[in-house]
């Protein structure tokens, strides 16, 4: 009895310490409906390490209630082996226990919202990640080391009659396997002979593969318009705070501090185009939180641009006319320099070649972001825009605020001395798509065709809405910016010239406010005006 106690006590202490030390597994959705990647913790000391590969009390959402793993399998592969795409009716939970491989999931499920899409996750014996593959999806991997070993937990037992293999280079799926140049992947005769999906399902003949556009900030007004322009089936959108159906999580500010998060995201989606719409755009908030402003408007986009360039993706990032002073100078500057740039200029509209002179932290962080993104990827597109409006899910832009306040009979203070070229978000998205297709790079302005003060802009919106959304223009209360109670200085005489853009995409033309409102009401999207 004494010996039994002596033997058990250290073990009990070890497991108590283990439970207190280890962080619970964190599971995140992947771009395939129902698929996920789990990051687990590992306890280690001078002897080695210990970690749980599965614990039903800690791992949530990996299988249906009451479901139990029915089979455990193990595979060993040589370097540059390519296995798949194998489709089982049962879900799989995969862990790399030795070596490393790029694990791929392809959605073959009829009726799935992500049918035809694929994604990948790098699994190694060190990065502490696991992947869940839903039943009905194709699965495969490509190895980077000899004696690479994988452990599978399966929701059902292997039955060859119920398996349906698809060729790993099926053009309908178009997996971008990370096979090094000059390397011929090692495949089984069975995988080499596997048919294309359209052979198994003739109805898919002529089915175009999905595009691969990654939209960072897909829940915002620019991101939403981009997804609409490129086509939802071709896009993977991200959200930062509030989960959005069909989108995956990505925090740009966090990635600024942990660049591996950007690398992981890009390796998962393997995009052709990356549009970085997310940022810290609350101008007064940037004054209060300059570190956050620089993380989201400078370092984060640069980190993401570098990760995207590494896989050959086209990078698009959005800047602002707030990199200019609008003919104003910083209070007390006396026309001297502020933040290393001229404190005042002649005012807009501005061309791409005009020297910048930001008045606030927001503008300075965006200007630094322009240089950082182009340094990370000289072939990137940097698009300056201003006063963006149009349909969106959140309903934050100026037109929404106007319709909401005036529609409820509430007066609204509107700066009378801030001039810009209001930009319809769908025009911005269309210009983006055209520039990408034209292979453009560098700095471009994208704005609206009308230089307007905010009051004149509001009046044009009210006129365009007319009887369809009647608003009382008398509730507009013009105020000078100096009396508007805003924490950050604003450029007054601003706006953007479009000569360079029109030369690059001559068939593109921005819509007037009246035309944009007509299009908005005819093709509603997101939150309704007035909500």
């Amino acid at each position: 009895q004494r010996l039994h106690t002596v033997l058990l006590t250290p073990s009990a202490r070890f497991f108590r310490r283990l439970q207190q030390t280890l962080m619970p597994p964190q599971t995140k959705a992947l771009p395939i409906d129902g698929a996920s990647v789990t990051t687990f913790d590992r306890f280690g000391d001078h002897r080695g390490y210990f970690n749980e590969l599965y614990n039903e009390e800690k791992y949530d959402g990996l299988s249906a209630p009451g479901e139990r793993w029915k089979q455990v399998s193990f595979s060993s592969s040589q370097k540059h082996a390519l296995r798949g795409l194998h489709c089982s009716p049962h879900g799989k939970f995969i862990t790399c226990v030795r070596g490393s491989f790029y694990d791929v999931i392809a959605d073959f499920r009829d009726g799935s919202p992500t049918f035809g899409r694929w994604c990948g996750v790098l699994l190694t014996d060190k990065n502490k990640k696991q992947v869940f593959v839903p039943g009905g999806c194709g699965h495969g991997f490509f190895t980077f080391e000899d004696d690479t070993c994988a452990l599978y937990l399966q929701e059902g037992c292997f039955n060859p009659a119920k398996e349906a293999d698809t060729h790993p280079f099926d053009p309908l799926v178009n997996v971008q396997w990370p096979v090094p140049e000059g390397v011929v992947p090692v495949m089984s005769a069975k995988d080499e002979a596997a048919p294309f999906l359209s052979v198994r399902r003739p109805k898919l003949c002529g089915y175009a593969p999905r595009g691969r556009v990654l939209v960072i900030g897909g829940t915002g007004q620019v991101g939403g318009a981009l997804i609409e322009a490129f086509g939802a089936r071709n896009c993977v959108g991200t959200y930062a705070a509030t989960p959005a159906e069909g989108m995956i999580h990505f925090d740009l500010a966090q990635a600024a501090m942990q660049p591996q998060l950007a690398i992981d995201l890009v390796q998962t989606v393997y995009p052709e185009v990356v549009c970085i719409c997310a940022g810290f755009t609350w101008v007064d908030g940037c004054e209060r939180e300059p570190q956050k402003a620089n993380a989201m408007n400078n370092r984060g986009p640069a980190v993401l641009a570098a990760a995207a360039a590494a896989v050959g993706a086209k990078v698009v990032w959005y800047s602002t006319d707030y990199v200019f002073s609008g003919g104003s100078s910083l209070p007390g500057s006396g026309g001297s320099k502020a933040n290393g740039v001229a404190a005042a200029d002649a005012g807009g509209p501005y061309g791409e070649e005009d020297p910048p002179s930001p008045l606030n932290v927001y503008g300075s962080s965006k200007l630094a972001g322009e240089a950082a993104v182009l340094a990370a990827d000289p072939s990137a597109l940097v698009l300056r825009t201003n006063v963006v409006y149009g349909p969106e899910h959140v309903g934050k832009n100026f037109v929404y605020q106007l319709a909401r306040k005036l529609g409820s009979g509430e007066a609204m203070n509107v700066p009378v001395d801030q001039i810009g070229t209001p930009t319809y978000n769908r025009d911005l998205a269309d210009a983006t798509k055209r520039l990408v297709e034209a292979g453009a790079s560098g700095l471009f302005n994208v704005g609206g065709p009308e230089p307007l003060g905010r009051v004149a802009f509001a009046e044009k919106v009210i006129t365009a809405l007319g009887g369809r959304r009647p608003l009382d223009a008398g509730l507009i209360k013009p105020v000078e910016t100096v009396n508007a109670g805003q924490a950050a200085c604003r450029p007054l005489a601003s706006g953007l010239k479009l000569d360079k853009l029109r030369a690059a995409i001559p068939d593109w033309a921005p819509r007037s406010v009246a035309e944009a409102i007509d299009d908005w009401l005819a093709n509603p999207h997101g939150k309704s005006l007035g909500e």
Side-chain angles (χ1 to χ4, degrees):
Q1 179 66 34
R2 182 185 305 169
L3 177 62
H4 185 256
T5 303
V6 169
L7 289 175
L8 283 183
T9 300
S11 177
R13 289 173 181 166
F14 170 79
F15 281 106
R16 275 201 302 271
R17 185 157 58 98
L18 183 65
Q19 295 297 328
Q20 294 169 354
T21 303
L22 295 180
M23 296 290 292
Q26 303 293 318
T27 298
K28 293 174 61 176
L30 288 170
I32 303 296
D33 187 44
S36 60
V37 57
T38 297
T39 303
F40 60 87
D41 205 354
R42 176 176 284 166
F43 178 84
D45 58 22
H46 63 283
R47 300 165 299 169
Y49 66 81
F50 171 89
N51 59 257
E52 297 174 337
L53 297 182
Y54 178 73
N55 183 326
E56 67 176 3
E57 295 180 357
K58 299 178 182 178
Y59 282 70
D60 296 327
L62 294 177
S63 56
E67 186 74 81
R68 299 294 180 190
W69 303 112
K70 300 295 195 299
Q71 180 175 323
V72 179
S73 303
F74 185 89
S75 72
S76 177
S77 304
Q78 71 177 80
K79 185 177 182 179
H80 295 156
L82 197 162
R83 296 179 180 265
L85 294 163
H86 305 149
C87 182
S88 167
H90 310 298
K92 303 175 186 177
F93 191 48
I94 299 104
T95 306
C96 178
V97 294
R98 183 184 296 129
S100 58
F101 57 88
Y102 186 65
D103 202 61
V104 167
I105 309 169
D107 195 344
F108 295 158
R109 299 167 295 177
D110 284 327
S112 167
T114 53
F115 172 79
R117 178 182 290 170
W118 71 272
C119 71
V121 176
L122 178 66
L123 297 181
T124 78
D125 55 9
K126 297 179 177 62
N127 70 0
K128 298 177 286 186
K129 293 182 184 295
Q130 302 165 292
V131 167
F132 177 69
V133 181
C137 289
H139 173 249
F141 59 76
F142 177 78
T143 64
F144 300 105
E145 302 176 48
D146 280 325
D147 197 20
T148 288
C149 298
L151 181 74
Y152 308 74
L153 304 182
Q154 298 173 211
E155 290 180 339
C157 295
F158 175 74
N159 182 345
K162 294 183 179 180
E163 301 286 318
D165 297 345
T166 295
H167 198 282
F169 293 98
D170 188 332
L172 185 149
V173 186
N174 196 29
V175 174
Q176 301 298 298
W177 297 99
V179 180
E181 187 175 355
V183 169
V184 177
V186 181
M187 297 170 57
S188 69
K190 181 171 76 77
D191 287 348
E192 287 183 333
F196 290 162
L197 198 60
S198 59
V199 173
R200 295 187 183 278
R201 307 179 196 177
K203 66 181 182 180
L204 296 177
C205 289
Y207 184 91
R210 286 175 178 257
R212 305 191 65 76
V213 180
L214 176 59
V215 181
I216 307 299
T219 56
Q221 63 172 335
V222 176
L226 286 166
I227 291 173
E228 194 178 49
F230 282 100
R233 73 182 298 272
N234 299 314
C235 296
V236 174
T238 73
Y239 69 88
T242 305
E245 185 176 358
M247 297 194 188
I248 58 177
H249 179 264
F250 179 73
D251 189 322
L252 190 59
Q254 195 175 11
M257 306 299 126
Q258 303 174 55
Q260 187 62 44
L261 295 175
I263 295 170
D264 290 346
L265 175 67
V266 168
Q267 288 179 342
T268 292
V269 178
Y270 231 95
E272 301 161 322
V273 181
V274 178
C275 296
I276 309 171
C277 315
F280 192 22
T281 58
W282 180 25
V283 179
D284 290 346
C286 288
E287 294 295 309
R288 301 184 184 106
E289 300 182 78
Q291 289 185 333
K292 179 179 177 180
N294 277 286
M296 296 192 68
N297 298 337
N298 176 0
R299 292 192 301 273
V303 162
L304 195 49
V311 300
K314 182 67 178 179
V315 174
V316 185
W317 183 66
Y318 296 86
S319 188
T320 173
D321 68 331
Y322 274 43
V323 299
F324 299 107
S325 73
S328 303
S329 59
L330 288 167
S333 70
S336 63
K337 290 194 174 184
N339 300 321
V341 295
D345 56 42
Y350 296 96
E352 290 84 354
E353 72 287 349
D354 288 323
S357 48
L359 296 175
N360 51 46
V361 171
Y362 172 63
S364 296
S365 66
K366 283 287 192 176
L367 181 60
E370 292 180 0
V373 167
L374 288 169
D377 178 12
S379 67
L381 262 176
V382 173
L383 305 182
R384 288 177 180 159
T385 190
N386 72 139
V387 197
V388 179
Y389 68 99
E392 57 162 311
H393 289 285
V394 180
K396 292 194 303 184
N397 66 52
F398 179 77
V399 174
Y400 275 106
Q401 293 180 46
L402 185 76
R404 191 159 47 241
K405 288 192 173 184
L406 272 58
S408 63
E410 181 183 350
M412 180 174 175
N413 290 338
V414 177
V416 72
D417 50 355
Q418 292 183 23
I419 300 172
T421 45
T423 309
Y424 188 39
N425 63 351
R426 283 172 167 155
D427 291 343
L428 175 58
D430 183 45
T432 301
K433 184 171 183 288
R434 289 170 182 259
L435 286 168
V436 168
E437 292 170 347
S441 61
L443 181 64
F444 283 85
N445 289 341
V446 184
E450 304 166 291
L452 296 170
R454 290 299 178 94
V455 171
F457 178 31
E459 290 171 346
K460 280 184 175 286
V461 169
I462 292 170
T463 300
L465 289 172
R468 296 173 293 184
R469 299 283 194 283
L471 300 174
D472 183 1
L475 292 172
I476 296 174
K477 302 302 179 186
V479 296
E480 291 188 351
T481 298
V482 70
N483 297 320
Q486 297 171 324
C489 295
R490 261 66 168 180
L492 300 182
S494 191
L496 299 168
K497 295 178 181 177
L498 304 179
D499 299 352
K500 181 179 177 181
L501 181 65
R502 288 190 170 109
I505 46 173
D507 293 336
W508 176 84
R511 281 167 277 199
S512 67
V513 173
E515 292 168 334
I517 295 297
D518 282 345
D519 177 77
W520 185 345
L521 295 180
N523 303 283
H525 180 76
K527 186 169 284 192
S528 298
L529 277 173
E531 284 189 62

